[in-house]
């Protein structure tokens, strides 16, 4: 047994202490002033993997521009990108809009009324369903995020790396489900997360002002720093990619570059230079060789290195020059998007001067900087 929680059951008032502390100390966020299903859903998705300082102004702008589920369902791609700027993981914004479209078309604009119904909305998983159902429908579904895992590990004095396993996650979910306050499930979830974010922080927790210190086993045993242990590191994976820089002369001496919207891969849902995995190289190069718009293909001897989480990526830059001719860029673009339709959402030609502004990822910016040296 790597999570020992019997002492928590012996002290049921700890949940009351936690809720009383939350009532007095919760931070004033716009979505907490009045419970609104749409606001709760949006802020929950926005808050994943970022800080509240980043989320609050973007949430306010988002709600002012798209005040309801219908306006989100109708939102254009460009506006959605603009409103999501700075929040990262653009796929989440697209999922939100897909969910909004489902709610408008399949549910007549009515939000799901419980956890099970939320799970039928495209893009909504158990965590988001728990947040919305517990806060908006008072359903006793505990939410487990990184803050909650840390708080539970410390309350139970758990220093075993097993806490990061699937079984560990399930045990934490069971524990949180057992202790959730059935009268105030949404507040219980928010209080656990708030405690983790503002008091029981990863580095230097403020135990002296913690409302549940009396039941905290890690504090009593003076093992707070070991609970939970660091997550086991993921194994490094090495990846090779070809990045295409397809250029075409434009009027006024400028140059155009072909950028694509990516459907899959490391940088899925972003706009940038076409990227091809090692396994796609032979198809790509055979296609380029056979294409009669291609004037030359040159593989740069200076590759790039880039890291995304546990992936070490080495990128070969492949410069593709097209023949000059007014109709060529659009003709090439059409053929290219047909050939690689599986991986591309769209293609567009962008002038050299605008390319830097159009690409968003740091890998694309590196590829751009390499162009800028020409
Ligand atoms: Fe976290 Fe300290 Fe509170 Fe324990 S006493 S839950 S370690 S802040």
């Amino acid at each position: 047994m790597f999570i020992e929680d019997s002492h928590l059951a012996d002290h049921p008032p700890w949940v009351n202490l936690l809720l009383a502390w939350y009532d007095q100390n919760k931070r004033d966020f716009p979505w907490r002033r009045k419970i609104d299903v749409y606001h709760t859903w949006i802020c929950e998705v926005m808050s994943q993997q970022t800080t509240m300082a980043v989320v609050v102004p973007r949430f306010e702008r988002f709600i002012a521009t798209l005040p309801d589920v219908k306006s989100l369902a109708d939102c254009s791609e460009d506006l959605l990108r603009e409103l999501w700027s700075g929040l990262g993981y653009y796929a989440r914004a697209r999922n939100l809009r897909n969910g909004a479209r489902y709610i408008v078309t399949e549910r007549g604009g009515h939000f799901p009324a419980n956890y099970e119904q939320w799970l039928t909305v495209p893009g909504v998983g158990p965590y988001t369903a728990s947040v919305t159902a517990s806060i908006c429908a008072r359903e006793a579904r505990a939410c487990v995020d990184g803050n909650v895992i840390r708080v539970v590990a410390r309350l139970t004095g758990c220093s075993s790396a097993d806490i990061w396993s699937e079984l560990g996650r399930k045990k934490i979910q069971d524990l949180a489900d057992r202790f959730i306050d059935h009268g105030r499930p949404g507040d219980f979830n928010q209080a656990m997360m708030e405690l983790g974010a503002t008091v029981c922080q990863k580095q230097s927790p403020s135990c002296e002002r913690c409302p549940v210190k009396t039941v905290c086993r890690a504090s009593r045993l003076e093992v707070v720093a070991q609970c939970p242990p660091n997550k086991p590191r993921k194994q490094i994976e090495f990846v090779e990619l070809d990045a295409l820089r397809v250029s075409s002369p434009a009027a006024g001496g400028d140059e155009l570059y072909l950028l694509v919207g990516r459907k899959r891969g490391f940088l899925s849902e972003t706009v940038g230079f076409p990227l091809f995995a090692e396994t796609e190289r032979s198809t790509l190069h055979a296609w380029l060789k056979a294409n009669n718009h291609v004037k030359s293909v040159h593989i740069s001897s200076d590759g790039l290195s880039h890291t995304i989480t546990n992936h070490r990526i080495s990128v070969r830059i492949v410069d593709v020059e097209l023949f000059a001719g007014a109709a060529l860029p659009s003709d090439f673009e059409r053929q290219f998007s047909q050939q690689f339709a599986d991986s591309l959402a769209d293609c567009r030609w962008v002038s050299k001067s605008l390319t830097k502004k159009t690409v968003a990822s740091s890998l694309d910016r590196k590829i751009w900087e390499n162009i800028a040296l020409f």
Side-chain angles (χ1 to χ4, degrees), residues 3-51:
I3 298 182
E4 174 50 58
D5 59 24
S6 55
H7 67 297
L8 294 176
D10 293 342
H11 295 278
W14 73 269
V15 173
N16 296 339
L17 295 173
L18 176 71
L19 289 171
W21 168 84
Y22 177 69
D23 290 340
Q24 294 293 318
N25 295 281
K26 66 183 169 195
R27 290 169 291 176
D28 176 31
F29 293 133
W31 53 86
R32 280 187 177 160
R33 289 174 201 149
K34 172 171 87 85
I35 293 181
D36 179 291
V37 187
Y38 179 61
H39 294 186
T40 303
W41 180 35
I42 301 297
C43 86
E44 193 287 311
V45 177
M46 276 189 174
S47 313
Q48 292 167 13
Q49 322 230 3
T50 189
T51 63

Side-chain angles (χ1 to χ4, degrees), residues 5 8-9 12 14-15 174-182 188:
D5 59 24
L8 294 176
W14 73 269
V15 173
D174 289 348
L175 185 149
D177 280 337
R178 238 179 318 126
F179 287 103
I180 193 168
D181 187 292
H182 284 246
F188 173 87

